[in-house]
Amino acid sequence: MLLETAILAGLLFGFGIYQVLQRSFVRILIGFVLLSNGANLVILAMSGDPKGKDSPILAEGTGPHVDPLPQALILTAIVIGFGLLSYMVVLLYRIFLDYRTTNAADLFEEPLKEAKPEEPH
Amino acid sequence: MNLVAMPILLPLLTAIAALLLRADTLRRGIVIASCAFQVIVALALVILTARQGPIALSIGDWAPPFGIVLVADLLSSIMVALAGIISLASIVYGYLELPCRLEHPLRIPLTQFLMVGLCQSFLTGDLFNLFVAFEVMLICSYALLTLEADDWDIKQAFPYLAINAVGSMIFLAAVAFAYGIFGTLNFAEISQRAAGMSDDPRVLILAVLLLGVFGIKAGLFPLYFWLPNSYPILSTPLAALFGGMLTKVGVYVLLRVFGTVLPQDLSGLHTVLAWLGGVTMLLGVIGAVSRNFVRGILSFHILSQIGYMVLAIGFFSPYAIAAAIFYNIHNNLVKSSLFLVGGTISLLNGTDDLKRSANLWRATPLLGVAFLLLGLSLAGLPPLSGFWGKLMIVQDGLRQGEYVLIFVALFTSIFTLLSMMKIWNASFWTQDASVPVRIHDRRWIGLTAVTCTMALLTVAVTIFAGPLIELSHQASEEIFKRETYIRAVLQLKADRGGVVDQAVSVPFEAVSDPIDGTSNPWLPEVAR
């Protein structure tokens, strides 16, 4: 169970970084979604193997409980990740409106032809 | 002690009040009064921690491993005080620069929320809470960066956002690993349990992850390119706040994590840190020499100054850490004042492009004197405040035999002087009849007054360098000895009837699964 979780988290991080490094804005956004899910999965894995454990609700006759702290951490992290992502969507949309492109490489292309007349000598 | 929560609560309340009020003179008065009060509270905290040692507070009276603790030791209170002073100066400057109706109504609330994040990252005693504080701070900084940016500049916010967002996600994963390894996120408890684990590969991986993350936030060598391009798009007062405090948070956290939390014998990693600092300062200063506008030059200088502090952290002796802390005090004030001078230059000349600015020495010699004091102090000319910090770093480097790094540091100083003289020559010394000086715009008087007050403050740092260096030594002792810090936090736990760890470290095999009894390194201890 833990090994599968580790592999899945690794894949999410790998694909996430790959997508963030792409040029298209949509791919970059998807990359961040993958990255934040990967990070949340890592936190979840820290509560250990859930096999044979009850959910962390203290009641009569329940056995050993799953560690509840990572779940609380994930809840916070999801909210923060969501806020970050929504800000990013708005920023990229504003850049799209200003530059009429969804390609990150176009943004930072040096305008070589315009730069030359500025230097008279 | 509830005073510890005040530096977080005050800006929070101010921000909410500023959101509810209309943006007029009344709001300005309230905000300035609150900022001044924040400075007083922070200074009281410095005095208190200098006398009594670290003060801890468990939020909501939850005992430490489950609740969040705030800890103010001397280093954190010094940083909170610096943040308070710089935010006050930047807000006053912003008020004098723009009349009420031209100021963006959201600027003040966002600045105050930024202060919440800043102070929380200085005061928190919990790794996950540090992550949350970072996010509060960063989201406000993204918003401030794009709030008043025009259509051309706004693209520079994207690399800043992208690199910091990736950094945050890695930070989150590192927090999870820390919980997995130590079973706690409390700095004091991690510090206890990690003490004997410096040759454990998992601790090393965690340390490298944290180094990478905080390196990104501080603007260290391989991942610094976002900083010098994004800071110049900020307006002057915000640039002063960002340049003065925001990247220094990265330095503070490196100090805290490597000094107080992780084992102190990770000497390989400290060497890496020192070299990263050396490369950063060199590339930063070369970048600064290549730029031709004031804010661009100053933004690159942030990098080279960060390099100095990280170099000192990398030397990792009590003396070097004290040097880093003193350098931090000096640099935060000087750097933000220089941004303010840059703003006044661009108000008077109508541009901060060095080719099109001139004549300022004749128009306003006072500003020139302030700039000279600050610029020479940044370069580290004796007897100004920058000299003492650099002297301490160089002394410790020579003692440790790091001659190459010391050579780089001195070389960087000369180039810093060069680029400061570039600004001086172009803006102040050159006489060019074709360049107008807008002396009729009366705003410059107020702006120069704020700038000169800040310059006087750095002169005060020079005059009181002795006591301040002693204070830095005391703060660095506290970081190195750790016992007072740990005792302050664990006292809270003992007060609530919790079981305090007596063992210094948890051996690798000690963490075992209660279900089948086999060793399971992934399972945290607290689960049972």
Side-chain angles (χ1 to χ4, degrees):
Chain A
M1 185 68 184
L2 279 174
L3 184 66
E4 289 92 321
T5 316
I7 292 172
L8 187 58
L11 283 176
L12 281 174
F13 261 95
F15 277 126
I17 296 279
Y18 175 76
Q19 294 288 19
V20 167
L21 294 175
Q22 298 299 302
R23 290 173 176 187
S24 156
F25 284 174
V26 180
R27 280 173 179 255
I28 292 170
L29 284 175
I30 289 174
F32 278 110
V33 176
L34 293 180
L35 274 181
S36 70
N37 283 331
N40 290 338
L41 202 61
V42 174
I43 304 181
L44 186 67
M46 291 310 141
S47 56
D49 197 336
K51 203 193 290 173
K53 288 185 200 163
D54 287 330
S55 49
I57 302 167
L58 289 181
E60 292 275 330
T62 52
H65 299 283
V66 177
D67 185 4
L69 194 74
Q71 303 183 11
L73 300 185
I74 292 175
L75 209 57
T76 317
I78 287 175
V79 174
I80 291 174
F82 174 74
L84 198 61
L85 190 75
S86 46
Y87 177 80
M88 197 177 285
V89 172
V90 174
L91 177 68
L92 288 178
Y93 183 63
R94 161 97 193 263
I95 293 178
F96 166 70
L97 287 183
D98 289 341
Y99 286 84
R100 287 281 151 205
T101 177
T102 57
N103 187 331
D106 285 353
L107 285 183
F108 293 96
E109 234 167 45
E110 293 290 322
L112 286 174
K113 282 172 191 166
E114 290 169 23
K116 269 179 188 169
E118 280 184 14
E119 297 203 353
H121 20 247
Chain B
M1 190 90 163
N2 287 327
L3 187 67
V4 182
M6 288 284 267
I8 301 168
L9 285 179
L10 281 173
L12 187 65
L13 293 176
T14 317
I16 293 169
L19 276 178
L20 297 177
L21 291 171
R22 259 192 316 158
D24 53 10
T25 7
L26 174 70
R27 188 175 95 164
R28 292 191 160 188
I30 293 174
V31 170
I32 290 201
S34 156
C35 285
F37 191 54
Q38 287 169 33
V39 175
I40 294 169
V41 167
L43 290 178
L45 207 57
V46 172
I47 295 171
L48 216 65
T49 46
R51 290 209 180 131
Q52 301 182 355
I55 309 168
L57 169 75
S58 48
I59 297 294
D61 210 15
W62 289 86
F66 305 109
I68 293 160
V69 277
L70 297 180
V71 188
D73 68 346
L74 194 50
L75 174 62
S76 353
S77 10
I78 289 175
M79 295 302 288
V80 169
L82 288 171
I85 292 169
I86 290 172
S87 103
L88 178 64
S90 114
I91 284 174
V92 172
Y93 189 96
Y95 283 172
L96 293 171
E97 191 186 29
L98 286 180
C100 289
R101 62 192 166 80
L102 290 182
E103 190 191 83
H104 198 291
L106 280 177
R107 191 203 266 187
I108 290 304
L110 281 171
T111 325
Q112 290 299 307
F113 279 126
L114 184 80
M115 282 297 287
V116 175
L118 268 173
C119 292
Q120 200 183 343
S121 27
F122 293 143
L123 289 173
T124 184
D126 180 282
L127 201 55
F128 189 78
N129 198 237
L130 181 67
F131 167 75
V132 176
F134 257 88
E135 288 310 305
V136 171
M137 184 183 81
L138 285 172
I139 286 181
C140 292
S141 76
Y142 304 146
L144 282 170
L145 199 62
T146 48
L147 191 65
E148 290 158 286
D150 60 24
D151 293 353
W152 178 251
D153 282 338
I154 195 141
K155 67 176 183 184
Q156 300 293 358
F158 174 64
Y160 180 85
L161 173 63
I163 189 85
N164 278 302
V166 172
S168 299
M169 291 309 145
I170 300 174
F171 188 13
L172 193 56
V175 170
F177 288 137
Y179 185 67
I181 298 170
F182 304 114
T184 177
L185 289 168
N186 192 292
F187 283 167
E189 285 194 316
I190 293 180
S191 161
Q192 267 190 327
R193 294 182 192 182
M197 293 171 78
S198 59
D199 45 358
D200 187 331
R202 296 177 303 163
V203 176
L204 200 63
I205 291 171
L206 177 69
V208 170
L209 271 179
L210 290 175
L211 170 64
V213 171
F214 301 138
I216 290 176
K217 311 276 179 196
L220 270 186
F221 157 55
L223 297 169
Y224 65 88
F225 59 89
W226 53 271
L227 193 148
N229 289 328
S230 59
Y231 279 25
I233 74 175
L234 288 160
S235 58
T236 309
L238 293 178
L241 184 61
F242 277 47
M245 285 321 293
L246 223 56
T247 42
K248 307 299 191 306
V249 180
V251 175
Y252 163 80
V253 178
L254 280 174
L255 261 175
R256 172 65 70 219
V257 166
F258 280 89
T260 316
V261 180
L262 291 173
Q264 285 177 340
D265 41 2
L266 296 167
S267 56
L269 217 54
H270 297 150
T271 314
V272 172
L273 206 55
W275 279 95
L276 285 180
V279 177
T280 310
M281 72 170 86
L282 194 63
L283 291 177
V285 86
I286 289 173
V289 171
S290 78
R291 289 292 155 122
N292 259 326
F293 57 108
V294 178
R295 270 184 287 180
I297 292 175
L298 292 178
S299 301
F300 265 106
H301 271 303
I302 296 175
L303 293 177
S304 73
Q305 311 303 326
I306 291 281
Y308 266 102
M309 289 175 238
V310 172
L311 178 69
I313 300 173
F315 286 158
F316 210 75
S317 66
Y319 194 77
I321 299 284
I325 295 168
F326 179 73
Y327 200 82
N328 212 336
I329 299 173
H330 138 80
N331 190 251
N332 287 0
L333 294 173
V334 167
K335 177 58 72 182
S336 49
S337 330
L338 274 172
F339 270 107
L340 297 182
V341 176
T344 317
I345 290 177
S346 58
L347 177 84
L348 283 170
N349 276 149
T351 170
D352 72 348
D353 185 347
L354 290 181
K355 280 182 195 150
R356 286 181 288 153
S357 92
N359 295 342
L360 289 182
W361 179 248
R362 179 152 294 178
T364 158
L366 194 60
L367 187 69
V369 171
F371 175 79
L372 263 191
L373 276 175
L374 296 167
L376 296 181
S377 177
L378 191 75
L381 253 64
L384 295 165
S385 55
F387 170 71
W388 302 107
K390 287 190 182 181
L391 179 72
M392 287 166 78
I393 297 174
V394 169
Q395 275 178 337
D396 202 71
L398 291 178
R399 201 174 297 146
Q400 300 196 11
E402 300 280 1
Y403 298 114
V404 181
L405 284 170
I406 293 307
F407 178 75
V408 170
L410 296 177
F411 184 78
T412 304
S413 287
I414 295 172
F415 268 71
T416 310
L417 189 62
L418 183 74
S419 57
M420 285 299 130
M421 286 304 106
K422 200 163 100 179
I423 301 178
W424 165 260
N425 279 338
S427 300
F428 289 93
W429 210 236
T430 310
Q431 295 213 356
D432 185 346
S434 66
V435 177
V437 176
R438 302 177 182 180
I439 210 82
H440 52 83
D441 188 343
R442 307 308 285 177
R443 285 182 296 169
W444 73 272
I445 299 172
L447 301 189
T448 310
V450 177
T451 317
C452 289
T453 316
M454 286 296 277
L456 278 180
L457 212 55
T458 63
V459 172
V461 172
T462 311
I463 294 172
F464 297 106
L468 283 173
I469 288 174
E470 262 171 44
L471 203 68
S472 316
H473 275 298
Q474 195 187 336
S476 119
E477 289 264 301
E478 226 168 61
I479 290 175
F480 257 83
K481 291 245 173 79
R482 292 183 178 192
E483 284 126 25
T484 47
Y485 187 97
I486 294 174
R487 206 181 308 132
V489 175
L490 294 188
Q491 188 59 43
L492 292 174
K493 198 174 171 182
D495 289 347
R496 302 272 305 155
V499 182
V500 177
D501 283 1
Q502 292 304 321
V504 177
S505 69
V506 179
F508 189 79
E509 284 81 13
V511 184
S512 65
D513 197 323
I515 303 292
D516 50 10
T518 53
S519 164
N520 181 357
W522 292 107
L523 197 78
E525 244 197 351
V526 177
R528 281 146 277 139

